[in-house]
Amino acid sequence: MQYKFFGPSCLKDSKSKVTISRYVRYYLRKIIFYPYVKKFEKFVNADLFFIDFFQKYPVADYVVIKRFCNKNFNATQRYNHVISDLSFMQRLYSKTGTCLWKKRVEVWSIKNEDEILYKLFLEKNIETSEEGFWALVLRDKGETRIYQATFTITPDNNFLIASVQGSRESGANEEMKVLTKKLFGLRPSSFLIEVLKILTRAFGCNQTLGISPSLQIRSTKGLKKGFYADYDRIWLESYGELITVSGHHYYCLAHKQKSIEEVSSNKRLMYKRRFEMLRQIEDVCNEKFKNSLVLTIK
């Protein structure tokens, strides 16, 4: 079956309210970026893996002519980042059999004795493809999404975290306190970032980047919908340093942790348990991905 770039009828099936102005924006974007639409159709039709993906998520290709992970990308940068990300996931599937949009991967579980309270999954981002196709999602035992971080693999083989979001619903603050205790003092946002650093290494990427607030796509809209993140604080707490990559400012997140000697004596046991948890998560990720994934940069 041949893939064709999605038509306006698919907008009716999306979560956003369909208005005349939305149809007009769709057609204007498609006209302006039509060469990229035709180029993208040729790319997708070259592999059944991609055809299958866009049959299931037809509106996901809107990012080619709209926005993807960085709102300041020009058309060529946006297109190249979409292609890079999809190509990486195709290689991940060919090497490990991991197909995130068909079956999510359980990375870790948080327990209270024998009862599982939360699970951490690597899965398809079902909220908005503009912030990346893939997500690391923390869910409670009822499958409710508590926290998530979305990401993409860039043409430079960097691991770019495009969003980190936690719920602001009633009772969320208390739940965050419980989670932080279960994570040995790590806030959920910091926990997700540490696991994404582990995935950076397991995937063979060069470095972990955090999107700067000025480039983040949906931070204002996310706040209105009940999700919020202070990106400057989050990246700095994760040993972030502002750098420039291909003309864009990102936080480069260092892969390091406190020396146990730097920790006050009354907190050392907690930190030892935290470091052991992260080591075990890295073992899981290496077993699932690193030991069989051979990354070929194109």
Side-chain angles (χ1 to χ4, degrees):
M1 180 180 291
Q2 285 289 100
Y3 156 81
K4 294 289 290 183
F5 196 82
F6 88 98
S9 61
C10 293
L11 292 174
K12 297 178 182 178
D13 299 326
S14 65
K15 294 181 179 180
S16 302
K17 184 179 179 180
V18 179
T19 61
I20 293 176
S21 62
R22 193 160 182 245
Y23 281 122
V24 171
R25 289 195 299 271
Y26 164 81
Y27 280 113
L28 285 175
R29 286 171 176 141
K30 191 171 182 180
I31 291 169
I32 293 169
F33 301 113
Y34 190 69
Y36 291 95
V37 170
K38 299 307 293 181
K39 189 178 178 181
F40 190 69
E41 287 179 339
K42 184 177 180 180
F43 167 80
V44 173
N45 281 315
D47 197 308
L48 288 173
F49 178 85
F50 303 130
I51 295 174
D52 201 14
F53 176 78
F54 287 106
Q55 281 181 341
K56 187 170 180 61
Y57 299 100
V59 185
D61 57 8
Y62 203 0
V63 297
V64 174
I65 60 174
K66 195 177 180 184
R67 293 176 298 187
F68 187 68
C69 292
N70 177 338
K71 67 183 180 183
N72 284 358
F73 279 156
N74 61 35
T76 299
Q77 290 173 325
R78 182 173 62 242
Y79 178 84
N80 288 341
H81 276 73
V82 172
I83 297 300
S84 171
D85 194 48
L86 291 172
S87 297
F88 178 85
M89 284 301 162
Q90 193 277 338
R91 293 194 295 275
L92 183 67
Y93 171 70
S94 67
K95 296 295 182 181
T96 69
T98 301
C99 189
L100 296 180
W101 49 273
K102 286 187 176 180
K103 185 179 180 181
R104 62 192 182 187
V105 176
E106 182 179 333
V107 176
W108 192 246
S109 61
I110 301 167
K111 301 177 181 180
N112 182 21
E113 296 181 351
D114 293 332
E115 180 186 9
I116 295 177
L117 300 179
Y118 303 94
K119 285 186 178 182
L120 184 65
F121 294 99
L122 190 61
E123 60 184 72
K124 167 74 174 66
N125 175 22
I126 60 173
E127 291 302 308
T128 170
S129 294
E130 290 181 11
E131 292 183 326
F133 293 128
W134 323 112
L136 187 65
V137 183
L138 188 62
R139 297 182 180 276
D140 65 18
K141 57 186 178 182
E143 293 292 304
T144 300
R145 182 169 56 100
I146 304 300
Y147 237 95
Q148 82 163 30
T150 64
F151 65 91
T152 185
I153 308 300
T154 74
D156 298 323
N157 192 34
N158 292 322
F159 193 109
L160 173 61
I161 306 173
S163 72
V164 181
Q165 297 173 334
S167 175
R168 275 197 163 186
E169 294 179 359
S170 177
N173 287 336
E174 286 303 313
E175 186 160 34
M176 294 307 110
K177 290 179 182 178
V178 173
L179 259 173
T180 300
K181 186 175 181 180
K182 292 294 181 183
L183 295 170
F184 309 109
L186 271 177
R187 282 195 288 267
S189 58
S190 299
F191 171 67
L192 290 183
I193 292 168
E194 289 304 313
V195 178
L196 291 173
K197 289 179 183 178
I198 289 170
L199 287 171
T200 300
R201 299 191 291 271
F203 286 173
C205 296
N206 296 327
Q207 56 188 345
T208 311
L209 303 177
I211 193 77
S212 63
S214 62
L215 304 179
Q216 212 279 330
I217 288 176
R218 300 173 68 88
S219 56
T220 303
K221 293 181 180 179
L223 178 59
K224 292 177 180 178
K225 291 181 178 181
F227 291 89
Y228 171 76
D230 182 348
Y231 285 98
D232 284 322
R233 178 184 63 80
I234 288 173
W235 302 142
L236 290 172
E237 287 181 352
S238 299
Y239 303 104
E241 179 182 356
L242 271 174
I243 64 170
T244 301
V245 179
S246 302
H248 298 278
H249 297 298
Y250 301 105
Y251 281 91
C252 181
L253 308 181
H255 290 210
K256 66 178 183 179
Q257 58 188 25
K258 277 187 177 182
S259 166
I260 200 67
E261 287 74 23
E262 299 177 71
V263 180
S264 59
S265 57
N266 63 322
K267 292 185 178 181
R268 285 186 180 180
L269 179 59
M270 180 185 72
Y271 270 79
K272 286 180 180 179
R273 288 173 175 171
R274 178 194 300 182
F275 296 158
E276 176 61 19
M277 174 186 68
L278 293 174
R279 186 196 63 76
Q280 291 178 17
I281 292 174
E282 181 144 25
D283 287 345
V284 170
C285 291
N286 286 343
E287 183 180 352
K288 290 180 181 293
F289 306 115
K290 186 176 182 179
N291 294 339
S292 55
L293 177 61
V294 178
L295 181 63
T296 304
I297 306 300
K298 296 183 179 180

